Amino acid sequence: MATPRDQIIMAIQETADMRGTEVGVLTDETVLLESGLDSLGFAILVARLEEEFGYDPFVMMDEPVYPSTLGEFVAIYQRFAPQ
Amino acid sequence: MNCLLDRFLSCKASDVLWVAEAVGPVNITRLTQAFSCIDPSGWQGKRVAIGALPVLEFVTTLAFLDGLAQAIVLLPTEDDQTTRESRLTQANIDIVIEGHGLDFVNLLAQFDVVAANGAAQLVVPVRPAGIQTTWLLPTSGTTGTPKLIAHTFVTLTRSMTKRRIGGDYTWGSFYSLRRFAGLQVFLQSWMCGTPLILCEEGADLHDVLTRFIDLGCNALSATPSMWRKLAMHPLFDRLSLKQITLGGEIVDQSILDMLANCFPGARITHIYASTEAGVGFAVRDGIAGFPVDYLLQPPSGVAMRIDGQNHLWFGTKLPESVAVGPETGWIDSGDLVEMQGARVCFLGRANGSINVGGNKVMPEEIESVIKELPNVGFVQVRARKSAILGNLVEAAITPTPGNVFDATFKKQVTAHCRARLDGFKVPAFIVAADDIKLTASGKLSRTDLR
């Protein structure tokens, strides 16, 4: 079964594909805004993931957190995952 | 001519006015016979609201009251109780006609159309001298607070053809006749002496088309959305149309081309009309938008200008409106336009834009690009909330019959949009639309946009 991390990577690839940009190899250290996603792409990614996971951590968080790497981004989704 | 019945002076007793399901063809003789059964004095100078009525009762009532009542309000049937009451108060209404109304349908049924078709003498009903009745028309409400706009028979028919066309054309009523666009169809067929096939509001599309085909309807007026819906119906090809009219929404090139292909030889007219400004004009060259020349040489006397925000303004001659105060001089149509070469093209409603991270996106612009694809039957572009950018663009699409909504289809739409539009306008989401919802005035519903 695909882990949330796999699903996120797949969604990044699909979003980039849709936006007509290329993403390279994605690791935990990859900086999101250098991965081929701009701010619009990032907004689309979050909306897609909300559809897939059923929640949007960026709406749920009290203090805004801005993940810069893929690892931090995945961690945010794991932290806010419904128990 | 000052009121509807004045036209009786210039037509034949056997002219068919309407073809109604309940009673068949209604000609002028039959109508005047029905009128002669009702004492007009009880309606003289009254302020009357017309609620839900069978369509034949509705048109007969209009013909009866115009020139007799002081004011007529056409109540939208979808109004809730509060809106309805506020309209009645606002317009100072004495009487509401609804249900069976004055029961004209029964009266018409009593007079035999065959006898009337013969040598029957036209009996002009005895009525008090005609007055100028005020027609209070609700705006479609697609753009905020619904209002009542004051018209008269004269302002409503100002830009209409008044020459007699007679039986060469048979119009179908497709719009709700109580809305501005439907009223235009009703009045235009009345003015030209052409029969109008009446259909009940909300009737099944299959039944309506079957009736139009059987009764030889060759002239239809509808919104671009309604035309697209029609084009996806299996009976569409069996219509044989000589006159095609579009209005009420932006008319883009793809719909004009589609209709020209389906009905070679038909005259295609697209109409731009503003209920608020009480003006309208027609374009007949088969090209979207209208010629830039119209700004200098206004068609049918309708002066236009474009302001710094690209809003289209009209010079107006409306009588005083109870809802919005005196309106003379210029009125903002609320429509955004753009000069494209020798044409002025419509972009959408000024207050209808989607804000994507500070960029304004007109849904109509994206819809028009997506509709360029031949396998797209219907598309509605709307906002989808985003915590990051405020809104994202979502397109709900129905493919044309025979095409499937799948990943390949979605990719094709995305690729087409990316080639034609700025990145922030490319739909982030493409979803399947199972059902095409149109408003009472035949337009795509945009109430969920904001």
Side-chain angles (χ1 to χ4, degrees):
Chain A
M1 214 185 98
T3 63
R5 188 176 181 280
D6 296 338
Q7 284 174 281
I8 288 171
I9 288 177
M10 195 177 292
I12 291 176
Q13 269 155 355
E14 280 172 9
T15 306
D17 202 31
M18 196 219 112
R19 303 266 298 131
T21 55
E22 293 281 330
V23 285
V25 180
L26 295 168
T27 67
D28 278 348
E29 287 71 42
T30 305
V31 176
L32 285 172
L33 290 179
E34 290 169 6
S35 68
L37 289 184
D38 55 5
S39 60
L40 176 58
F42 184 70
I44 295 172
L45 172 67
V46 171
R48 277 180 172 239
L49 289 172
E50 184 189 3
E51 202 162 74
E52 201 151 328
F53 294 144
Y55 64 97
D56 176 354
F58 297 93
V59 176
M60 298 156 79
M61 54 184 59
D62 299 326
E63 293 279 309
V65 180
Y66 300 99
S68 68
T69 64
L70 176 64
E72 290 166 18
F73 186 72
V74 173
I76 288 173
Y77 274 88
Q78 285 166 338
R79 184 168 6 126
F80 285 91
Q83 296 308 308
Chain B
M1 269 186 266
N2 287 313
C3 70
L4 280 165
L5 288 189
D6 286 348
R7 203 185 73 90
F8 283 8
L9 304 171
S10 63
C11 59
K12 296 179 187 161
S14 60
D15 274 358
V16 173
L17 300 165
W18 311 309
V19 184
E21 204 147 23
V23 302
V26 175
N27 60 21
I28 289 175
T29 309
R30 211 172 170 194
L31 185 69
T32 48
Q33 282 170 324
F35 280 0
S36 62
C37 302
I38 293 192
D39 176 13
S41 62
W43 299 91
Q44 203 176 352
K46 289 286 191 290
R47 301 182 66 87
V48 184
I50 303 183
L53 287 176
V55 62
L56 176 61
E57 189 68 32
F58 176 75
V59 290
T60 313
T61 305
L62 289 186
F64 179 73
L65 289 179
D66 186 47
L68 191 62
Q70 188 188 82
I72 301 174
V73 179
L74 304 185
L75 294 173
T77 43
E78 70 277 11
D79 271 359
D80 57 35
Q81 196 60 29
T82 322
T83 315
R84 179 186 153 109
E85 267 157 29
S86 98
R87 288 197 207 272
L88 294 179
T89 316
Q90 193 183 16
N92 203 11
I93 289 305
D94 304 312
I95 309 166
V96 181
I97 301 181
E98 52 198 336
H100 292 286
L102 305 183
D103 223 355
F104 280 124
V105 175
N106 246 329
L107 289 171
L108 286 166
Q110 287 167 26
F111 297 101
D112 193 351
V113 75
V114 182
N117 266 336
Q121 200 64 38
L122 178 60
V123 188
V124 179
V126 182
R127 283 163 64 104
I131 59 167
Q132 185 113 103
T133 300
T134 303
W135 294 52
L136 296 168
L137 305 186
T139 59
S140 56
T142 41
T143 55
T145 335
K147 289 184 286 190
L148 288 175
I149 309 287
H151 281 275
T152 63
F153 174 76
V154 176
T155 65
L156 284 168
T157 57
R158 187 167 50 210
S159 50
M160 283 183 185
T161 308
K162 295 185 179 72
R163 79 200 145 83
R164 189 190 151 79
I165 293 169
D168 289 351
Y169 286 91
T170 301
W171 281 90
S173 85
F174 202 49
Y175 282 116
S176 161
L177 293 187
R178 58 181 63 238
R179 295 308 191 127
F180 191 71
L183 207 52
Q184 296 279 306
V185 175
F186 162 67
L187 291 170
Q188 184 64 82
S189 66
W190 179 277
M191 300 304 289
C192 298
T194 56
L196 173 66
I197 303 167
L198 300 176
C199 297
E200 294 301 336
E201 263 180 61
D204 181 70
L205 186 57
H206 189 275
D207 297 345
V208 171
L209 282 175
T210 308
R211 243 166 92 68
F212 286 172
I213 294 162
D214 291 350
L215 294 168
C217 165
N218 59 12
L220 270 183
S221 176
T223 61
S225 289
M226 290 157 77
W227 279 112
R228 288 201 165 80
K229 195 168 179 173
L230 274 179
M232 291 168 71
H233 197 281
L235 288 176
F236 184 60
D237 295 342
R238 293 190 39 213
L239 285 168
S240 156
L241 299 177
K242 290 207 291 194
Q243 170 65 49
I244 290 171
T245 305
L246 303 99
E249 290 177 313
I250 293 177
V251 176
D252 55 52
Q253 199 57 48
S254 62
I255 186 83
L256 290 170
D257 292 347
M258 182 273 279
L259 291 167
N261 280 332
C262 289
F263 302 100
R267 187 168 80 150
I268 301 179
T269 309
H270 57 103
I271 289 184
Y272 178 82
S274 165
T275 319
E276 284 92 341
V279 296
F281 60 88
V283 183
R284 296 200 177 86
D285 58 9
I287 307 172
F290 62 86
V292 169
D293 297 351
Y294 281 16
L295 296 172
L296 299 170
Q297 289 149 342
S300 42
V302 180
M304 288 183 279
R305 65 179 174 85
I306 300 172
D307 72 7
Q309 272 80 49
N310 288 324
H311 288 212
L312 184 68
W313 290 67
F314 284 108
T316 177
K317 299 165 193 136
L318 272 188
E320 234 176 68
S321 157
V322 290
V324 283
E327 285 173 340
T328 46
W330 292 89
I331 183 166
D332 184 355
S333 68
D335 287 316
L336 278 185
V337 292
E338 182 181 71
M339 306 263 229
Q340 295 174 2
R343 302 296 279 192
V344 176
C345 292
F346 290 93
L347 300 180
R349 297 291 298 170
N351 60 0
S353 64
I354 302 173
N355 193 323
V356 180
N359 293 300
K360 276 194 173 180
V361 176
M362 302 303 293
E364 294 91 341
E365 180 193 4
I366 304 172
E367 284 165 4
S368 152
V369 165
I370 295 175
K371 283 184 282 203
E372 290 167 358
L373 293 167
N375 48 358
V376 168
F378 232 90
V379 54
Q380 178 174 35
V381 167
R382 55 204 185 198
R384 179 170 171 144
K385 287 265 168 274
S386 158
I388 318 275
L389 289 181
N391 292 291
L392 291 170
V393 176
E394 176 175 271
I397 303 181
T398 312
T400 44
N403 290 290
V404 218
F405 184 95
D406 59 7
T408 317
F409 179 84
K410 293 205 302 190
K411 276 196 174 143
Q412 188 200 356
V413 173
T414 303
H416 180 68
C417 289
R418 235 174 35 218
R420 301 268 285 104
L421 295 165
D422 293 327
F424 61 90
K425 295 178 182 171
V426 175
F429 290 89
I430 296 173
V431 298
D434 315 321
D435 194 20
I436 300 152
K437 287 260 188 309
L438 301 184
T439 65
S441 36
K443 305 180 188 187
L444 272 182
S445 172
R446 296 194 189 277
T447 46
D448 55 349
L449 279 183
R450 289 168 287 276

